[in-house]
């Protein structure tokens, strides 16, 4: 693979920034003074490359969409722009958001700004790295099984996966429709809350978006934790968990206690089924969602003189990388006649059990659930070659996607100089409660969060 | 391959045909099922498209409420129970005119279940069960014969809302199938949900056919016959396939469950390539659309707002207007014609006269002018007025036909046409007497014989007076006057 030279990259970046500055100058005159109408004036944002933008390519990190520019833009991007923001750049990601290290991009890996030998996490690795490197304060990512929270944890930034239905998916290139949500990465909880306020809310173009009012999440900034109960699920703190990660979690829970919260041990008994269930449902939906990349209307087409079927096969074989191919094949298999009941249908039943785990925990008086975001910090590029080992990265996050509940990853300290994230989960559509806890944790940890 | 030509005539004698039909109907919505693109037929290729129906990356469907309304209307009209909750599902297959690589359809939880359709009359009357009615979207069109060596794709039709109406295997002959389709088309016209035109593709029919020994109760192995594009094509295809199956069974062979394609030009069915027939559609619930939850009140409302359906209307026409069965059939063929007749009959009062005129002059005028009832230039009130004039003797029956023809041409009222053309009947006694006397004077021989008692000359003389009056004389009065002259 031949990419641009370093000089070409830097030149292109400067050209883009010049263009953005020109746009921002214009905005300054009109909007700078009106913070209510334009809360994002002065915030250039980075947008993950699987979210449709008008004047920049949307490739999803895939060869099959190389050079593709969308003729329409995602609802979330329109909302960012209406709030005074400017899209600075698109960010690299795992191909079609399938991966946990950002090594699955057709355009090369992303490196972790904290340690360039290590991965930034994935699939929103580019967005997390852009925030961690200080290029932008807010970036959009997308989640299907942890793709915002895990890279946020690896890069030492804040990452939000909203409730399923909280944010419009219109213009987010679908991976697994029943799990996908656009999420926000921010330098701080406040940046993430601001981004969420702007993009959340009903969109008539997404029938799965919820028609519920969007609170001002930043109002949660100074909310006390007194009287709130934090649940600590045993399944997320197995004996095998790295002791140093466990210690940082204990410190985070102490910090929340110091803010007035109580901590209670709870159980989410179906947690260990989440990964197998996720790797049936997500590939099943992906196999259908990715059928449109067929070389007929847009994107790559590899032709020949041997007919339609051969064109399909060549285009998709050459256009999709190995991880995407693996999941499309897996998904096609589990939906096939004779296997549907045993796999897809069964997985949906187990998914309902996982959702019920959360429901009953919250019904028992728990307000917020705290877990580590990942079992371990960022690993070195190339370190995980076994797909299943890679999938285990999402073990603490994919439950939230399956259940649809919101989650946020907040930096809680470092192990060997590498960031560790703590995850806060609340009830469906209780992002306000989630942000309140995140603000409190961030406040209580102070600089310790990055030590 | 078997065709009607080389099949022995008696091969089917011991067998009975069993048919179930799957009918796809395009709903006449303003916009597509899942986006706001126009649905107008005949637009230039690919004009009526957008990111959603082109399946651009990131686009999502949003259900058109009007499509749900029309689908519910059809389901109610077919006596189905509309489910308060139904679920959209993806039917996955690759084809260039299917942009998403799947069709949004309904699968195990369809919109409506369990209806019936009464077909035929008298001895041929039977009830066909309706298994289900479900909603789905249309695919685009592949055009194979326009560019040599290439296929062109027109996606204007992609995403247009359809309903699929699946019948039980309750039909026993090809005329049964045609009667079912005729009745179905008529109902769909009455409730105004579709253009129901096989030529324009807004009505499409696939048939499941099997053969069994007469008297048997178990169903034979069925085949699916596709690619018919007219009702007569359906009839011929069913017969060809039935004969093919009977011939197999007669030879002791088995019928294989497969898809057969009708070739109208060669009058034969042939098996589809196995690739076309053996899809595994990998159905699963459409995650981009929540289950379709219908307010029971809305379901009821849609049922209550249904217009009078053909069967009910036929019974009422026979009862209220005392019309014969065949006439009722003609008058209720389309809702527009039935409305036309009924408006004219009510305005005029004599339903039989109105019926005769509608079945005669009106239909003839419509047939020759390629007008539809709705755009026809003689509104029912004008026809009624013309019939009033005939009844009042102002216009003669024969003059009325000319008046009608001119009304159809100009759109004028009958009074103005009759006046302008001098077709108002003359009943003035002096003028009529003068014409009668002139005719008698001009034809002395006939007049003499008539006066001598040769009554059969009356008709000839009336004709001569009518001719002299250019058709304006009232023939009854002329008759009367002549009889008086003969010494009556």
């Amino acid at each position: 693979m031949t990419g641009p030279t370093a000089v070409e990259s830097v030149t292109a970046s400067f050209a883009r920034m010049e263009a953005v500055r020109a746009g921002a100058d214009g905005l300054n005159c009109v909007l700078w003074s009106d913070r209510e109408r334009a809360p994002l004036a002065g915030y250039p944002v980075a947008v993950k490359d699987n979210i449709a933008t008008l004047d920049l390519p949307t490739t999803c990190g895939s060869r099959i969409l190389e050079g593709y520019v969308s003729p329409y833009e995602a609802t979330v991007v329109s909302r960012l722009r209406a709030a005074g923001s400017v899209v600075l750049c698109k960010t690299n990601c795992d191909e079609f958001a399938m991966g946990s290290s950002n090594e699955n991009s057709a355009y090369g890996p992303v490196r972790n700004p904290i340690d360039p030998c290590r991965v930034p996490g994935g699939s929103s690795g580019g967005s997390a790295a852009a925030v961690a490197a200080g290029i932008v304060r807010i970036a959009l990512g997308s989640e299907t099984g942890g793709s915002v929270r895990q890279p946020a944890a690896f890069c030492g930034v804040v990452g939000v996966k909203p409730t399923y239905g909280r944010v419009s998916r219109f213009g987010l290139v679908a991976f697994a429709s029943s799990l996908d949500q656009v999420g926000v990465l921010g330098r701080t909880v406040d940046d993430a809350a601001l981004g969420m306020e702007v993009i959340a809310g009903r969109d008539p173009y997404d029938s799965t978006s919820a028609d519920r009012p969007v609170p001002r999440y930043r109002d949660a900034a100074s909310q006390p934790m007194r009287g709130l109960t934090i649940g600590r699920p045993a399944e997320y703190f197995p004996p095998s968990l790295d002791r140093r990660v466990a210690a940082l979690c204990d410190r985070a829970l102490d910090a929340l206690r110091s803010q007035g919260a109580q901590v209670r041990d709870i159980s989410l008994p179906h947690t260990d089924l989440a990964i197998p269930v996720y790797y049936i449902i997500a590939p099943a939906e992906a196999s259908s969602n990715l059928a449109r990349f067929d070389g007929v209307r847009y994107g790559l087409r590899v032709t020949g003189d041997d007919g339609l079927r051969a064109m399909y096969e060549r285009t998709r074989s050459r256009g999709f990388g190995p991880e995407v191919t693996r999941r499309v094949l897996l998904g096609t298999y589990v939906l096939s006649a004779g296997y549907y009941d045993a796999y897809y249908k069964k997985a949906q039943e187990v998914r309902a059990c996982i959702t019920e785990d959360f429901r009953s925990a919250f019904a028992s008086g728990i307000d917020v659930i705290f877990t580590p975001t990942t079992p371990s910090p960022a690993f070195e590029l190339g370190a995980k070659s076994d797909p299943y080992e890679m999938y285990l990265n999402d073990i603490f996050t994919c439950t939230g996607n399956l259940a649809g509940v919101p989650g946020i990853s907040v930096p809680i300290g470092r192990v060997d100089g590498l960031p560790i994230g703590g995850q806060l989960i609340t009830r469906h559509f209780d992002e306000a409660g989630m942000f309140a806890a995140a603000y409190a944790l961030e406040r209580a940890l102070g600089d310790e969060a990055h030590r | 391959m078997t065709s009607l030509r080389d099949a022995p005539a008696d091969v089917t004698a011991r067998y009975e045909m069993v048919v179930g039909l799957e009918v796809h109907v395009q709903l006449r919505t303003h916009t597509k099922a899942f986006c706001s693109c126009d649905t107008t037929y005949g637009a230039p290729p690919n004009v009526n498209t957008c990111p959603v129906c082109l399946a651009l990356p990131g686009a999502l469907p949003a259900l058109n409420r009007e499509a749900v309304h029309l689908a519910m209307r059809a389901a109610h009209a077919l006596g189905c129970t509309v489910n308060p909750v139904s679920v959209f599902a993806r039917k996955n297959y690759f084809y260039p005119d299917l942009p998403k690589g799947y069709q949004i359809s309904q699968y195990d939880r369809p919109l409506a279940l369990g209806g019936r359709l009464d077909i035929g009359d008298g001895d041929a009357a039977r009830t066909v069960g309706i298994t289900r009615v479900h909603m789905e979207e249309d695919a685009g069109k592949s055009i194979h014969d326009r560019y040599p060596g290439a296929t062109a794709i027109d996606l204007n039709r992609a995403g247009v809302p359809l309903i699929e109406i699946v019948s039980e295997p309750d039909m026993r002959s090809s005329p049964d199938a045609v009667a079912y389709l005729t009745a179905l088309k008529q109902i769909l016209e009455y409730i105004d949900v579709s253009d129901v035109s096989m030529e324009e593709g807004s009505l499409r029919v696939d048939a499941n056919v099997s053969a069994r020994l007469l008297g048997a109760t178990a169903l034979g192995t069925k085949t699916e016959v596709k690619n018919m594009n007219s009702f007569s094509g359906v009839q011929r295809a069913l017969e060809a396939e039935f004969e093919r199956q009977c011939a197999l069974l007669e030879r002791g062979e088995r019928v294989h469950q497969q898809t057969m394609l009708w070739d109208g030009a060669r009058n034969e069915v042939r098996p589809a390539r196995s690739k076309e027939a053996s899809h595994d559609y990998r159905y699963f619930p459409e995650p981009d659309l929540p289950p379709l939850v219908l307010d029971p009140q809305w379901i009821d409302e849609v049922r209550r707002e249904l217009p009078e359906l053909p069967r009910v209307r036929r019974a009422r026409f026979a009862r209220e207007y005392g019309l014969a069965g065949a006439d009722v059939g003609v008058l209720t063929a389309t809702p527009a014609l039935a409305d036309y007749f009924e408006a004219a009959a009510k305005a005029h009062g004599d339903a039989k006269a109105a019926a005769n005129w509608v079945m005669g002059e009106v239909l003839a005028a419509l047939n020759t002018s390629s007008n539809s009832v709705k755009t026809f230039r003689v509104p029912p009130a004008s026809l009624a007025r013309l019939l009033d004039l005939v009844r009042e003797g102002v216009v003669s029956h024969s003059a009325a036909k000319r008046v009608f023809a001119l009304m159809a041409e100009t759109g004028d009222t009958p009074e103005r046409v009759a006046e302008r053309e001098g077709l108002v009947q003359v009943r003035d006694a002096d003028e009529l007497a003068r014409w009668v006397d002139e005719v008698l004077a001009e034809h002395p021989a006939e007049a003499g014989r008539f006066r001598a008692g040769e009554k059969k000359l009356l008709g000839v003389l009336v004709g001569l007076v009518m001719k002299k009056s250019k058709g304006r004389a009232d023939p009854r009065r002329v008759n009367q006057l002549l009889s008086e002259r003969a010494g009556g």
Side-chain angles (χ1 to χ4, degrees):
Chain A
M1 176 182 353
T2 57
T5 65
V7 173
E8 282 167 349
S9 283
V10 171
T11 308
S13 297
F14 272 110
R16 179 67 195 161
M17 287 185 191
E18 278 303 317
V20 168
R21 192 173 69 182
D25 285 347
L27 279 168
N28 279 345
C29 309
V30 186
L31 298 169
W32 187 253
S33 56
D34 188 353
R35 303 302 297 177
E36 277 304 309
R37 247 186 67 217
L40 284 181
Y43 283 77
V45 293
V47 174
K48 187 177 179 180
D49 203 22
N50 63 348
I51 297 173
T53 47
L54 283 173
D55 54 351
L56 293 165
T58 300
T59 71
C60 301
S62 181
R63 189 63 69 211
I64 211 161
L65 281 177
E66 187 162 7
Y68 173 78
V69 179
S70 174
Y72 77 99
E73 73 179 2
T75 300
V76 286
V77 174
S78 302
R79 289 186 178 174
L80 289 176
R81 298 201 302 115
S85 183
V86 185
V87 177
L88 176 68
C89 59
K90 298 301 278 292
T91 52
N92 198 352
C93 57
D94 284 302
E95 186 176 6
F96 288 104
M98 297 178 187
S100 307
S101 68
N102 220 123
E103 293 166 298
N104 293 339
S105 169
Y107 306 100
V110 175
R111 289 167 187 275
N112 192 322
I114 308 292
D115 175 354
C117 294
R118 293 181 185 263
V119 302
S123 64
S124 311
S127 289
V131 173
I135 296 170
V136 288
R137 282 172 64 176
I138 294 175
L140 294 188
S142 73
E143 271 254 5
T144 305
S147 281
V148 166
R149 288 165 289 167
Q150 185 255 17
F154 277 16
C155 293
V157 300
V158 174
V160 178
K161 196 289 283 189
T163 309
Y164 185 80
R166 178 73 290 185
V167 176
S168 168
R169 293 186 292 119
F170 191 76
L172 167 66
V173 181
F175 160 13
S177 312
S178 75
L179 301 162
D180 293 344
Q181 274 289 289
V182 173
V184 178
L185 296 112
R187 294 275 282 176
T188 62
V189 174
D190 200 53
D191 288 337
L194 171 58
M196 272 297 299
E197 272 177 33
V198 170
I199 64 168
R202 165 81 181 161
D203 173 14
Y205 290 103
D206 175 4
S207 310
T208 63
S209 70
D211 192 7
R212 286 164 169 256
V214 179
R216 274 179 56 104
Y217 297 128
R218 285 170 296 166
D219 288 350
S222 52
Q223 210 170 292
M225 288 287 98
R226 189 154 310 140
L228 293 187
T229 308
I230 312 280
R232 181 184 180 280
E235 293 78 6
Y236 289 69
F237 297 89
S240 59
L241 184 66
D242 186 320
R243 279 185 301 109
R244 295 166 303 173
V245 173
L248 290 176
C249 287
D250 287 342
R251 185 174 75 173
L253 286 167
D254 283 342
L256 286 166
R257 279 196 198 91
S258 76
Q259 296 288 310
Q262 292 187 323
V263 177
R264 207 165 88 197
D265 287 331
I266 60 167
S267 173
L268 298 170
H270 294 91
T271 301
D272 63 332
L273 297 173
I275 288 281
V277 163
Y278 177 86
Y279 278 97
I280 289 168
I281 292 173
E285 293 181 9
S287 72
S288 175
N289 284 328
L290 269 56
R292 67 187 60 193
F293 304 103
D294 58 3
V296 174
R297 293 167 315 286
Y298 48 76
L300 182 72
R301 177 192 290 183
V302 189
T303 50
D305 52 8
D306 46 356
L308 176 67
R309 199 189 159 91
M311 187 280 280
Y312 283 154
E313 284 178 4
R314 264 199 306 269
T315 298
R316 290 167 65 83
S317 300
R318 206 158 314 160
F320 291 146
E323 185 59 31
V324 171
T325 303
R326 176 163 32 246
R327 296 198 198 185
V328 167
L329 290 174
L330 182 60
T332 303
Y333 177 80
V334 299
L335 288 176
S336 299
Y339 298 99
Y340 179 88
D341 285 358
Y343 293 107
Y344 189 79
K345 198 170 163 214
K346 192 82 186 167
Q348 291 291 7
E349 287 163 13
V350 178
R351 181 180 184 175
C353 296
I354 291 169
T355 307
E356 175 57 24
D357 280 357
F358 282 99
R359 196 203 62 75
S360 65
F362 290 123
S364 75
I366 297 297
D367 299 297
V368 182
I369 292 170
F370 177 88
T371 79
T373 307
T374 59
S376 46
F379 45 88
E380 288 180 2
L381 270 82
K384 295 194 196 256
S385 52
D386 174 41
Y388 189 73
E389 202 190 329
M390 186 72 90
Y391 296 168
L392 290 177
N393 261 286
D394 296 330
I395 193 159
F396 297 152
T397 45
C398 71
T399 47
N401 300 79
L402 290 165
V405 291
I408 187 168
S409 177
V410 180
I412 56 168
R414 295 204 174 185
V415 165
D416 294 338
L418 299 169
I420 296 293
Q423 176 176 224
L424 297 159
I425 300 167
T426 51
R427 291 176 184 83
H428 289 99
F429 297 101
D430 186 20
E431 277 82 3
M434 176 191 81
F435 277 117
Y439 274 114
L441 182 58
E442 185 183 58
R443 191 165 61 231
L445 285 175
D447 291 345
E448 296 299 311
H450 298 285
R451 276 184 205 143
Chain B
M1 259 180 251
T2 307
S3 79
L4 284 173
R5 289 184 302 277
D6 27 82
D10 61 346
V11 71
T12 63
R14 302 196 301 133
Y15 296 92
E16 175 180 57
M17 184 193 293
V18 177
V19 182
L21 295 177
E22 292 173 12
V23 178
H24 286 89
V25 178
Q26 253 181 26
L27 297 176
R28 192 164 53 207
T29 49
H30 294 91
T31 56
K32 292 187 180 180
F34 301 112
C35 61
S36 51
C37 285
D38 193 1
T39 52
T40 311
Y41 180 79
N46 298 307
V47 164
N48 295 339
T49 56
C50 73
V52 176
C53 56
L54 290 173
L56 296 190
L60 294 172
L63 180 60
N64 176 349
R65 193 178 156 91
E66 189 190 10
V68 179
H69 185 187
L70 297 188
M72 256 205 281
R73 231 171 125 77
H76 281 315
L78 295 169
C80 292
T81 306
V82 173
N83 293 321
V85 181
S86 59
V87 173
F88 287 98
R90 291 187 184 177
K91 179 179 180 178
N92 294 282
Y93 64 95
F94 282 91
Y95 205 69
D97 61 22
L98 186 72
K100 294 190 291 291
Y102 55 84
Q103 177 195 30
I104 302 179
S105 180
Q106 294 187 310
Y107 185 54
D108 52 1
R109 298 187 68 183
L111 178 76
L113 291 165
R116 53 179 280 170
L117 181 60
D118 296 317
I119 64 168
D121 285 308
D123 292 344
R126 67 166 77 243
T127 296
V128 176
I130 305 289
T131 315
R132 58 188 272 155
V133 174
H134 74 244
M135 298 183 68
E136 58 187 32
E137 61 176 336
D138 213 340
K141 256 186 211 157
S142 292
I143 300 151
H144 300 292
D145 52 4
R146 176 112 175 233
Y147 303 99
T151 296
I153 310 282
D154 179 3
L155 296 175
N156 282 345
R157 205 179 66 181
V160 167
L162 299 176
I163 47 175
E164 182 173 337
I165 301 163
V166 182
S167 88
E168 293 288 313
D170 288 345
M171 287 158 272
R172 294 290 174 268
S173 67
S174 58
D176 268 4
V178 172
Y180 171 86
L181 293 171
T182 308
L184 181 63
K185 181 175 189 307
Q186 196 180 41
I187 284 190
L188 297 172
E189 275 171 346
Y190 265 64
I191 61 173
D192 199 24
V193 296
S194 171
D195 294 333
V196 281
S197 154
M198 270 190 106
E199 294 72 43
E200 290 184 4
S202 52
L203 179 77
R204 302 198 281 273
V205 181
D206 299 331
N208 289 308
V209 197
S210 61
R212 65 182 173 193
L213 281 171
L214 285 169
T217 48
L219 292 172
T221 304
K222 69 178 176 187
T223 59
E224 186 173 18
V225 186
K226 290 176 177 277
N227 202 37
M228 290 90 69
N229 43 28
S230 66
F231 284 7
S232 74
V234 172
Q235 178 156 8
R236 289 185 298 143
L238 288 176
E239 276 155 17
E241 173 57 10
F242 180 56
E243 277 185 20
R244 187 189 71 87
Q245 291 187 11
C246 292
L248 283 173
L249 297 172
E250 281 291 275
R251 290 200 300 271
E253 293 172 33
R254 284 173 48 192
V255 174
H256 294 284
Q257 186 158 353
Q258 60 183 338
T259 299
M260 306 296 292
L261 296 180
W262 168 244
D263 182 339
R266 306 173 77 166
N267 224 30
E268 65 185 24
V269 288
R270 55 185 160 73
R273 282 178 299 137
S274 62
K275 244 187 266 173
E276 292 168 13
S278 65
H279 277 124
D280 176 358
Y281 291 118
R282 291 176 284 120
Y283 280 100
F284 72 104
E286 164 59 290
D288 287 332
L289 291 168
L292 176 58
V293 179
L294 299 169
D295 182 352
Q297 233 177 328
W298 190 33
I299 298 178
D300 258 14
E301 229 173 82
V302 174
R303 183 172 42 225
R304 280 200 306 270
E305 79 189 10
L306 277 184
E308 189 175 40
L309 296 178
R311 186 156 288 257
V312 177
R313 192 158 213 186
R314 283 197 292 273
R316 187 170 61 77
F317 274 18
R319 193 177 64 239
E320 269 178 30
Y321 302 117
L323 300 171
D327 292 353
V328 169
V330 174
L331 290 172
T332 57
T334 67
L337 188 68
D339 289 344
Y340 185 96
F341 157 72
E342 194 151 29
K346 282 199 168 130
H348 171 59
D350 178 353
K352 283 200 174 136
N356 287 334
W357 270 80
V358 170
M359 290 187 293
E361 302 304 310
V362 174
L363 282 181
L366 287 174
N367 283 340
T368 53
S369 72
S370 80
N371 255 316
S372 77
V373 177
K374 278 172 188 157
T375 57
F376 189 44
R377 300 197 71 176
V378 182
S382 290
L383 174 64
R385 188 71 201 116
L386 176 62
L387 300 188
D388 291 348
L389 295 179
V390 172
R391 184 170 54 199
E392 290 158 13
V394 177
V395 175
S396 72
H397 193 79
S398 60
K401 293 193 177 180
R402 278 197 59 201
V403 173
F404 179 82
L406 290 164
M407 286 163 69
E409 234 169 72
T410 61
D412 271 346
T413 63
E415 289 89 345
R416 284 182 57 185
V417 173
E419 198 73 41
R420 192 171 62 228
E421 299 295 319
L423 292 169
V424 175
Q425 216 155 224
V426 173
R427 281 182 292 178
D428 176 74
D430 291 347
E431 199 164 359
L432 288 174
R434 197 171 63 244
W435 284 331
V436 167
D437 291 338
E438 277 174 27
V439 164
L440 292 173
E442 284 159 16
H443 303 276
E446 287 81 358
R449 281 158 54 200
F450 178 63
R451 288 204 181 91
E454 208 173 318
K455 288 283 194 297
K456 66 180 181 195
L457 282 171
L458 177 64
V460 176
L461 291 168
V462 170
L464 287 167
V465 175
M466 292 307 292
K467 194 174 168 194
K468 180 173 271 298
S469 74
K470 300 199 173 74
R472 289 181 296 152
D474 178 345
R476 274 175 303 168
R477 303 289 290 276
V478 172
N479 217 307
Q480 214 176 341
L481 285 172
L482 279 166
S483 300
E484 282 166 22
R485 296 291 190 281

